[in-house]
C-alpha cells in the first residue's frame, strides 16, 4: 500500500476575511495536493470552510453565532466549497469526492465501517476524498469542536502515515491566542 497522508486545511486558509471562498487559495492548495497525489501517495483532505463560504451568500452581514444560522450557512457553503474543490482538482486531472461525517458516525461501528469502505474504494480508484463535518445535522454537544479533531480521527481510521494540519496559527497554544492574550 502506498503512503497515506491526511491533510487538514482550516477556514482562514481558504476564505477571505469578509466571508466567501478565496478561489486562488483553493486552487493553490488543490495544486499542491495534486502534486503530492502524483507522487503515488494516497491523499485525504479534511477541510473546514463551509460556514465561512456560505454566510454572505445567504445574506448574513457577518459570521453567524446561533447554531441554526451556522447550519444554514454551512448548507449553502458546503456546496460552494465542493464545487470549488471539484473544479480545482479537475484542472489537475483528479476526481474529488465528498464525505460528510459526524462524531456520532465514529461511535457507530456499522456507520464508520461503511465510511471507511467508501474511502478505501475511492483511494483505490485514485480519487481524493474530501471530508468535512456534516454541520447541518450536528448539534453543539455532538460536534467535533473543530476539524483538527476530525482530521486526527480520520488519520487513525485510515491508518495514515502522516497528518498535516495547515493553519494560520503559529503553533500549539494553551488557549486560543486570538481570544486570550494570556495564551502561551
Amino acid at each position: 500500500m502506498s503512503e497515506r497522508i491526511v491533510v487538514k486545511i482550516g477556514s482562514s486558509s481558504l476564505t477571505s476575511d469578509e466571508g466567501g471562498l478565496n478561489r486562488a487559495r483553493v486552487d493553490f492548495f488543490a495544486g499542491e495536493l495534486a502534486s503530492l497525489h502524483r507522487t503515488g501517495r494516497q491523499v485525504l483532505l479534511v477541510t473546514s470552510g463551509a460556514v465561512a463560504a456560505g454566510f454572505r451568500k445567504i445574506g448574513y452581514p457577518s459570521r453567524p453565532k446561533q447554531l441554526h444560522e451556522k447550519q444554514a450557512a454551512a448548507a449553502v457553503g458546503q456546496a460552494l466549497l465542493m464545487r470549488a474543490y471539484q473544479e480545482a482538482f479537475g484542472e489537475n486531472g483528479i476526481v474529488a469526492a465528498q464525505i460528510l461525517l459526524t462524531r456520532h458516525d465514529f461511535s457507530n461501528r456499522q456507520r464508520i465501517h461503511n465510511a471507511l469502505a467508501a474511502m478505501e474504494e475511492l483511494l483505490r480508484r485514485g480519487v481524493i476524498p474530501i471530508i468535512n463535518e456534516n454541520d447541518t445535522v450536528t448539534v453543539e454537544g455532538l460536534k467535533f469542536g473543530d476539524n483538527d479533531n476530525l482530521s486526527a480521527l480520520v488519520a487513525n481510521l485510515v491508518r495514515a502515515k502522516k497528518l498535516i494540519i495547515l493553519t494560520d496559527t503559529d503553533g500549539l497554544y494553551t488557549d486560543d491566542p486570538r481570544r486570550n492574550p494570556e495564551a502561551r
Side-chain angles (χ1 to χ4, degrees):
M1 175 173 62
S2 62
E3 184 179 43
R4 215 168 257 187
I5 300 171
V6 174
V7 177
K8 185 267 181 178
I9 304 175
S11 293
S12 62
S13 298
L14 298 169
T15 58
S16 68
D17 292 337
E18 302 80 38
L21 288 175
N22 181 323
R23 282 303 298 264
R25 290 180 185 171
V26 173
D27 292 346
F28 170 78
F29 287 120
E32 293 297 303
L33 294 177
S35 293
L36 193 60
H37 182 267
R38 283 191 289 275
T39 68
R41 293 176 175 94
Q42 294 181 328
V43 178
L44 298 94
L45 172 60
V46 176
T47 188
S48 298
V51 174
F55 77 82
R56 290 261 186 227
K57 202 73 156 170
I58 59 173
Y60 292 118
S62 61
R63 188 177 173 92
K65 303 280 188 258
Q66 295 185 13
L67 181 61
H68 68 279
E69 295 171 338
K70 291 178 188 176
Q71 290 171 318
V76 171
Q78 188 63 37
L80 298 170
L81 188 60
M82 279 309 299
R83 182 174 65 202
Y85 277 130
Q86 286 281 0
E87 291 171 0
F89 280 112
E91 289 172 11
N92 288 280
I94 297 171
V95 174
Q98 178 182 40
I99 299 176
L100 297 173
L101 297 172
T102 65
R103 183 173 289 282
H104 183 70
D105 294 326
F106 282 87
S107 62
N108 181 300
R109 185 179 301 264
Q110 185 63 50
R111 288 168 71 147
I112 203 58
H113 172 76
N114 291 344
L116 176 59
M119 286 184 238
E120 293 285 356
E121 181 62 17
L122 291 167
L123 292 168
R124 269 193 294 279
R125 299 274 174 193
V127 175
I128 292 183
I130 299 176
I131 302 146
N132 198 354
E133 184 166 11
N134 191 350
D135 290 319
T136 57
V137 299
T138 58
V139 293
E140 288 295 339
L142 292 177
K143 287 183 68 61
F144 287 104
D146 61 48
N147 281 333
D148 291 352
N149 292 324
L150 175 58
S151 67
L153 289 169
V154 168
N156 184 56
L157 177 68
V158 301
R159 298 185 176 150
K161 292 285 184 192
K162 294 179 183 157
L163 168 59
I164 301 167
I165 298 177
L166 304 176
T167 181
D168 63 353
T169 304
D170 291 332
L172 297 175
Y173 285 87
T174 57
D175 199 358
D176 186 341
R178 293 170 291 203
R179 295 187 188 126
N180 180 357
E182 303 296 317
R184 295 177 277 108

